[in-house]
Short mmCIF file of all heavy atoms in Angstrom, two decimals:
data_model
loop_
_atom_site.label_atom_id
_atom_site.label_comp_id
_atom_site.label_asym_id
_atom_site.label_seq_id
_atom_site.Cartn_x
_atom_site.Cartn_y
_atom_site.Cartn_z
N GLY R 24 37.35 107.68 101.07
CA GLY R 24 37.56 107.08 102.40
C GLY R 24 37.68 105.57 102.30
O GLY R 24 36.80 104.91 101.72
N GLY R 26 37.80 103.33 104.91
CA GLY R 26 37.41 102.60 106.12
C GLY R 26 36.50 101.45 105.72
O GLY R 26 36.34 101.15 104.52
N ILE R 27 35.87 100.81 106.70
CA ILE R 27 35.08 99.61 106.36
C ILE R 27 33.87 99.97 105.49
O ILE R 27 33.48 99.17 104.63
CB ILE R 27 34.69 98.81 107.64
CG1 ILE R 27 34.16 97.43 107.23
CG2 ILE R 27 33.70 99.57 108.51
CD1 ILE R 27 34.04 96.46 108.38
N ALA R 28 33.31 101.18 105.65
CA ALA R 28 32.17 101.58 104.81
C ALA R 28 32.62 101.70 103.35
O ALA R 28 31.98 101.16 102.44
CB ALA R 28 31.58 102.89 105.30
N LEU R 48 39.63 106.73 97.14
CA LEU R 48 40.65 107.72 97.48
C LEU R 48 40.75 107.78 99.01
O LEU R 48 39.76 108.09 99.69
CB LEU R 48 40.26 109.11 96.94
CG LEU R 48 40.00 109.20 95.43
CD1 LEU R 48 39.63 110.62 95.04
CD2 LEU R 48 41.21 108.71 94.64
N GLU R 49 41.91 107.49 99.54
CA GLU R 49 42.10 107.45 100.99
C GLU R 49 43.15 108.50 101.38
O GLU R 49 44.24 108.53 100.82
CB GLU R 49 42.52 106.03 101.43
CG GLU R 49 43.05 105.91 102.84
CD GLU R 49 42.14 106.48 103.92
OE1 GLU R 49 40.92 106.23 103.91
OE2 GLU R 49 42.68 107.22 104.79
N ALA R 50 42.79 109.32 102.36
CA ALA R 50 43.66 110.43 102.75
C ALA R 50 44.97 109.98 103.39
O ALA R 50 46.00 110.62 103.22
CB ALA R 50 42.90 111.34 103.72
N THR R 51 44.93 108.87 104.11
CA THR R 51 46.11 108.45 104.87
C THR R 51 46.87 107.36 104.11
O THR R 51 46.48 106.98 103.01
CB THR R 51 45.70 107.92 106.26
OG1 THR R 51 45.00 106.68 106.07
CG2 THR R 51 44.80 108.90 107.00
N GLY R 55 41.35 100.97 106.45
CA GLY R 55 40.77 100.51 107.73
C GLY R 55 40.17 101.65 108.54
O GLY R 55 39.25 101.43 109.31
N GLY R 56 40.71 102.88 108.38
CA GLY R 56 40.16 104.02 109.11
C GLY R 56 40.17 103.79 110.61
O GLY R 56 41.22 103.53 111.21
N ARG R 57 38.97 103.83 111.19
CA ARG R 57 38.86 103.67 112.65
C ARG R 57 38.95 102.20 113.08
O ARG R 57 38.80 101.91 114.27
CB ARG R 57 37.58 104.33 113.14
CG ARG R 57 37.72 105.84 113.24
CD ARG R 57 36.38 106.50 113.48
NE ARG R 57 35.63 106.71 112.25
CZ ARG R 57 34.37 107.07 112.17
NH1 ARG R 57 33.70 107.27 113.29
NH2 ARG R 57 33.77 107.26 111.00
N GLY R 71 41.52 101.53 117.54
CA GLY R 71 40.14 101.96 117.23
C GLY R 71 39.16 100.90 117.70
O GLY R 71 39.19 100.49 118.87
N ALA R 72 38.31 100.42 116.76
CA ALA R 72 37.26 99.46 117.13
C ALA R 72 37.84 98.28 117.90
O ALA R 72 38.92 97.78 117.58
CB ALA R 72 36.56 98.97 115.86
N HIS R 73 37.11 97.85 118.91
CA HIS R 73 37.62 96.87 119.89
C HIS R 73 36.81 95.58 119.82
O HIS R 73 37.35 94.50 119.66
CB HIS R 73 37.48 97.50 121.27
CG HIS R 73 38.38 96.93 122.30
ND1 HIS R 73 39.54 97.55 122.72
CD2 HIS R 73 38.29 95.80 123.03
CE1 HIS R 73 40.13 96.81 123.63
NE2 HIS R 73 39.38 95.74 123.85
N TRP R 74 35.49 95.72 119.97
CA TRP R 74 34.60 94.56 120.05
C TRP R 74 33.70 94.48 118.81
O TRP R 74 33.40 95.51 118.19
CB TRP R 74 33.68 94.68 121.27
CG TRP R 74 34.36 94.56 122.59
CD1 TRP R 74 34.72 93.40 123.21
CD2 TRP R 74 34.76 95.62 123.47
NE1 TRP R 74 35.33 93.69 124.42
CE2 TRP R 74 35.35 95.03 124.61
CE3 TRP R 74 34.66 97.01 123.42
CZ2 TRP R 74 35.85 95.76 125.67
CZ3 TRP R 74 35.17 97.76 124.48
CH2 TRP R 74 35.75 97.14 125.59
N HIS R 76 30.07 94.37 118.42
CA HIS R 76 28.90 94.56 119.28
C HIS R 76 27.75 93.71 118.72
O HIS R 76 27.38 93.87 117.56
CB HIS R 76 28.50 96.04 119.33
CG HIS R 76 29.51 96.89 120.04
ND1 HIS R 76 30.02 96.58 121.28
CD2 HIS R 76 30.11 98.06 119.67
CE1 HIS R 76 30.88 97.51 121.64
NE2 HIS R 76 30.96 98.42 120.69
N PRO R 250 44.23 112.85 100.02
CA PRO R 250 43.11 113.54 100.67
C PRO R 250 42.30 114.37 99.68
O PRO R 250 42.87 115.10 98.87
CB PRO R 250 43.79 114.44 101.71
CG PRO R 250 45.23 114.46 101.38
CD PRO R 250 45.54 113.29 100.52
N VAL R 251 41.00 114.21 99.77
CA VAL R 251 40.10 114.98 98.90
C VAL R 251 39.88 116.35 99.54
O VAL R 251 39.66 116.46 100.75
CB VAL R 251 38.76 114.23 98.73
CG1 VAL R 251 37.71 115.10 98.07
CG2 VAL R 251 38.99 112.95 97.93
N THR R 290 32.47 108.66 102.39
CA THR R 290 32.41 107.87 103.64
C THR R 290 33.28 108.51 104.73
O THR R 290 33.62 107.85 105.70
CB THR R 290 32.88 106.42 103.41
OG1 THR R 290 34.31 106.40 103.26
CG2 THR R 290 32.25 105.78 102.19
N VAL R 291 33.65 109.77 104.56
CA VAL R 291 34.54 110.40 105.56
C VAL R 291 33.79 110.53 106.89
O VAL R 291 32.56 110.63 106.91
CB VAL R 291 35.03 111.79 105.08
CG1 VAL R 291 35.73 111.66 103.74
CG2 VAL R 291 33.88 112.78 104.95
N PRO R 292 34.51 110.51 108.02
CA PRO R 292 33.82 110.58 109.31
C PRO R 292 33.04 111.89 109.50
O PRO R 292 33.41 112.93 108.93
CB PRO R 292 34.97 110.50 110.32
CG PRO R 292 36.11 109.87 109.59
CD PRO R 292 35.96 110.31 108.17
N PHE R 295 35.11 114.91 110.44
CA PHE R 295 35.75 115.61 109.32
C PHE R 295 34.72 116.48 108.60
O PHE R 295 34.98 117.65 108.28
CB PHE R 295 36.36 114.58 108.34
CG PHE R 295 37.01 115.23 107.14
CD1 PHE R 295 38.35 115.60 107.17
CD2 PHE R 295 36.26 115.49 106.00
CE1 PHE R 295 38.94 116.21 106.06
CE2 PHE R 295 36.85 116.11 104.90
CZ PHE R 295 38.18 116.47 104.93
N ASN R 324 36.44 109.23 122.21
CA ASN R 324 36.73 108.16 123.17
C ASN R 324 38.12 107.65 122.80
O ASN R 324 38.36 107.36 121.63
CB ASN R 324 35.68 107.05 123.04
CG ASN R 324 35.95 105.88 123.98
OD1 ASN R 324 36.56 106.06 125.04
ND2 ASN R 324 35.50 104.70 123.61
N TRP R 431 42.30 110.19 118.69
CA TRP R 431 41.34 110.30 117.59
C TRP R 431 40.86 111.73 117.33
O TRP R 431 40.48 112.07 116.22
CB TRP R 431 40.15 109.36 117.81
CG TRP R 431 40.55 107.94 117.63
CD1 TRP R 431 40.75 107.00 118.60
CD2 TRP R 431 40.84 107.28 116.39
NE1 TRP R 431 41.15 105.80 118.05
CE2 TRP R 431 41.21 105.95 116.68
CE3 TRP R 431 40.84 107.68 115.05
CZ2 TRP R 431 41.56 105.02 115.70
CZ3 TRP R 431 41.18 106.76 114.06
CH2 TRP R 431 41.53 105.46 114.39
N TYR R 436 41.85 113.53 109.73
CA TYR R 436 40.82 112.96 108.85
C TYR R 436 39.77 112.18 109.63
O TYR R 436 39.04 111.37 109.06
CB TYR R 436 41.47 112.12 107.74
CG TYR R 436 42.36 112.99 106.89
CD1 TYR R 436 43.76 112.88 106.95
CD2 TYR R 436 41.82 113.97 106.07
CE1 TYR R 436 44.56 113.73 106.20
CE2 TYR R 436 42.61 114.82 105.32
CZ TYR R 436 43.99 114.70 105.39
OH TYR R 436 44.78 115.55 104.65
N SER R 440 35.80 110.27 117.62
CA SER R 440 35.73 108.80 117.60
C SER R 440 34.50 108.25 116.89
O SER R 440 34.61 107.44 115.98
CB SER R 440 35.80 108.25 119.02
OG SER R 440 37.05 108.62 119.57
N TYR R 441 33.30 108.67 117.32
CA TYR R 441 32.10 108.20 116.63
C TYR R 441 30.91 109.07 116.97
O TYR R 441 31.00 109.95 117.83
CB TYR R 441 31.81 106.72 116.86
CG TYR R 441 32.16 106.17 118.23
CD1 TYR R 441 31.27 106.22 119.27
CD2 TYR R 441 33.40 105.56 118.45
CE1 TYR R 441 31.60 105.69 120.52
CE2 TYR R 441 33.74 105.04 119.68
CZ TYR R 441 32.84 105.11 120.72
OH TYR R 441 33.16 104.61 121.94
N GLY R 499 29.02 105.54 105.80
CA GLY R 499 29.82 105.73 107.02
C GLY R 499 28.94 105.54 108.23
O GLY R 499 27.70 105.67 108.15
N GLU R 500 29.57 105.21 109.36
CA GLU R 500 28.78 104.85 110.56
C GLU R 500 27.72 105.87 110.92
O GLU R 500 26.62 105.50 111.35
CB GLU R 500 29.70 104.54 111.75
CG GLU R 500 30.69 105.63 112.20
CD GLU R 500 30.13 106.70 113.11
OE1 GLU R 500 29.01 106.55 113.62
OE2 GLU R 500 30.83 107.72 113.29
N SER R 508 27.76 104.50 115.03
CA SER R 508 28.90 104.33 115.96
C SER R 508 29.53 102.94 115.93
O SER R 508 30.46 102.69 116.70
CB SER R 508 28.52 104.69 117.41
OG SER R 508 27.83 103.61 118.04
N THR R 509 29.06 102.06 115.07
CA THR R 509 29.62 100.70 115.06
C THR R 509 30.24 100.34 113.70
O THR R 509 29.94 100.97 112.68
CB THR R 509 28.53 99.64 115.35
OG1 THR R 509 27.59 99.65 114.26
CG2 THR R 509 27.80 99.91 116.65
N THR R 510 31.02 99.27 113.72
CA THR R 510 31.59 98.77 112.46
C THR R 510 30.50 98.14 111.60
O THR R 510 30.55 98.27 110.37
CB THR R 510 32.68 97.73 112.74
OG1 THR R 510 32.15 96.70 113.57
CG2 THR R 510 33.88 98.35 113.44
N ALA R 513 28.62 100.83 109.88
CA ALA R 513 29.44 101.40 108.79
C ALA R 513 29.41 100.49 107.57
O ALA R 513 29.17 100.94 106.44
CB ALA R 513 30.87 101.61 109.27
C1 FAD F 601 38.46 104.30 120.03
C2 FAD F 601 37.37 103.68 119.22
C3 FAD F 601 36.76 102.52 119.66
C4 FAD F 601 35.75 101.92 118.92
N1 FAD F 601 35.22 100.75 119.35
C5 FAD F 601 34.30 100.11 118.58
C6 FAD F 601 33.86 98.82 118.93
O1 FAD F 601 34.31 98.24 119.93
N2 FAD F 601 32.93 98.21 118.13
C7 FAD F 601 32.43 98.82 117.01
O2 FAD F 601 31.57 98.23 116.32
N3 FAD F 601 32.85 100.07 116.65
C8 FAD F 601 33.78 100.70 117.40
N4 FAD F 601 34.26 101.92 117.01
C9 FAD F 601 33.63 102.59 115.87
C10 FAD F 601 34.10 102.02 114.53
O3 FAD F 601 35.50 101.96 114.52
C11 FAD F 601 33.59 102.92 113.42
O4 FAD F 601 32.18 103.09 113.54
C12 FAD F 601 33.87 102.38 112.02
O5 FAD F 601 35.15 101.81 111.92
C13 FAD F 601 33.71 103.54 111.04
O6 FAD F 601 33.94 103.12 109.73
P1 FAD F 601 33.73 104.17 108.53
O7 FAD F 601 34.14 103.49 107.31
O8 FAD F 601 32.38 104.76 108.65
O9 FAD F 601 34.73 105.38 108.88
P2 FAD F 601 36.32 105.37 108.98
O10 FAD F 601 36.81 104.05 109.42
O11 FAD F 601 36.70 106.55 109.79
O12 FAD F 601 36.78 105.57 107.47
C14 FAD F 601 36.75 106.83 106.86
C15 FAD F 601 38.02 107.00 106.04
O13 FAD F 601 37.94 108.24 105.35
C16 FAD F 601 39.24 108.77 105.27
N5 FAD F 601 39.13 110.21 104.98
C17 FAD F 601 38.74 111.20 105.80
N6 FAD F 601 38.77 112.38 105.17
C18 FAD F 601 39.19 112.13 103.90
C19 FAD F 601 39.43 112.95 102.77
N7 FAD F 601 39.26 114.27 102.82
N8 FAD F 601 39.86 112.35 101.63
C20 FAD F 601 40.04 111.01 101.56
N9 FAD F 601 39.85 110.19 102.62
C21 FAD F 601 39.42 110.74 103.77
C22 FAD F 601 39.82 108.47 106.63
O14 FAD F 601 41.24 108.54 106.62
C23 FAD F 601 39.28 107.05 106.88
O15 FAD F 601 40.20 106.06 106.44
C24 FAD F 601 35.31 102.52 117.72
C25 FAD F 601 35.93 103.69 117.26
C26 FAD F 601 36.95 104.25 117.99
C27 FAD F 601 37.61 105.50 117.47
#
Side-chain angles (χ1 to χ4, degrees):
I27 193 167
L48 304 180
E49 167 53 46
T51 68
R57 282 170 277 169
H73 202 102
W74 291 279
H76 292 310
V251 169
T290 74
V291 303
F295 179 90
N324 178 27
W431 288 105
Y436 298 108
S440 297
Y441 35 87
E500 57 83 12
S508 81
T509 66
T510 54

